[in-house]
Amino acid sequence: MSPEEINTLLHRPLKPGIKYDHLMPFSDCSSTLLATGDTKEAIDQMALWAKKYKHHTQTLAQEVFSNLPLQQLCKELHSFLYNHFQYKIDGYKQKLRSPACSWSSRHQGIDCKSYSIFASTVLLNLGVSHSLRRVEQQAGKGYSHVYVIVTKDQKNFDLSKGYYVIDGTIIHNVSQEVNYTKKDDVFMSANASETLGASIVGALTNSAVKVISVITDLLIKGLLNELMGCGDAEFDAPVVQMKLKRDLLAPLNKMLTNLEHAISINNDVRIEHIFNNIFKELDLGIAHLENETAFSQRDECIAQTLASALKYVTEVKKVVDIYFINFKKSYPHLEVREFSRSAHVGERTLYFVVKNASNPIVAEYRFITVKSQKNSYPVSPIFPFKEEPNTWLSQNIHHLKNTYNDGREQGYKTEITPLLNKALALRAKYYLGGEMLYYSEQPIHDAMRQVWLKFDDKYLKFLTDRAKINYQANLQSLKAYQERFNKEVAENENAKKRKKNKMYAGIGLTAIALLLIASSNTEKEE
């Protein structure tokens, strides 16, 4: 059977899925991986891909699939995949999509590998161990299909006790599986420490996800609905939409995600740098847009486009300000001081509808300094940038020994020492620079945190409680903000309708008056 025939056979009508858009991050599908060959070659990367991008479905997993019995979870997840993602077979080049990319391209179609990656990330976020299964469906033809199986025995992972099948390519119940002549499984573990660590990081990252979802609603559902189709190509609605997604939403999303990671590892230098980058971009962009809106002599359509952009981008700033205020409240061990500077608007890089070089001005922007005071937790699980390694390691070992007195400090020392050596080797490469060094060390930081979570039970509760406070503060503040803003939008719409109705009424009365005058003149002539 040809690829075209398979695509036709597995084509299905999709549900809209609009209600889930705010739960998934935006993607321009730059997060894809190409591998030549069959499923056998591609599956080796799928496990890594699922772990790398599981944060894409963190919010979706918690808000849609959490607290379900295992069988119901598998049924709901399979139904979600089948009904919201079109099927399209890959050619010779095997494309592995991140979950966010799969969501953005769901109408164009994805294949079995991307279905499986998406399902795997949801299960990992929920702490459900499972396997990626590749199968040979015809003897001697090679591996041709991959899907997810979830063992019913989540303690010992004994497949002989039964398992559920999540195969988004075809409609069936989770008790059925395709026929195969050969199989091979890749186990995806979600052990307790990894799961709890993921939930903590997820709770932290959820603040960023929630912020970016509100910003997405403002710019996509709000601003784009008000745009007119201007004749100037620069202000044409499709052009503005494309640039908003690519040059404002995507990089802002990345900044907020990186910021949450820096907060989670208590990296005050990185926190300060990213906040300052966001403030500079927003403040200079809005100042430039204000100036262009006030003094632009362009046509009415462009003037209206600039005015609408200014209204919604100003709201984006309010959302970021809410996030910043709650950050300061949630992390009192960090001393945050605020200042202002001036810069040329050409120094910004994000898209604010008006070009950087268009009537450039100098404007003020905010910047902050962040300094760690006495940490609210006795030790730092992540090796700090400004710390002597032996002193840091000794303090952590001493903490574990005094707190638990059960010998676990020896296991910690054994596991953490190779990671510490990797960090020291990277820092010896002075040519990397601060930004490159941070990204190079990020996997080491994550691994150090996982090791500490494994040995310090009290730290698990400390992080969970702190993350929940931060997330709930942002959730409540943003909910109140959305209610206020939606009320203002509704009032503005009602005002526009009343104005339009008055205009029509005025036109109607004028028409009646003209008819009466015409009738009177006719009678006089007769």
Side-chain angles (χ1 to χ4, degrees), residues 34 170 278 316:
L34 293 177
I170 54 178
I278 293 173
V316 169

Side-chain angles (χ1 to χ4, degrees), residues 113-129:
K113 295 178 294 300
S114 295
Y115 277 114
S116 300
I117 290 171
F118 196 102
S120 180
T121 63
V122 172
L123 294 171
L124 287 173
N125 283 317
L126 295 174
V128 177
S129 295

Side-chain angles (χ1 to χ4, degrees), residues 53-68:
Y53 289 106
K54 67 180 181 180
H55 62 282
H56 283 190
T57 60
Q58 176 72 40
T59 305
L60 179 76
Q62 290 186 349
E63 297 198 18
V64 178
F65 300 105
S66 62
N67 301 318
L68 295 176

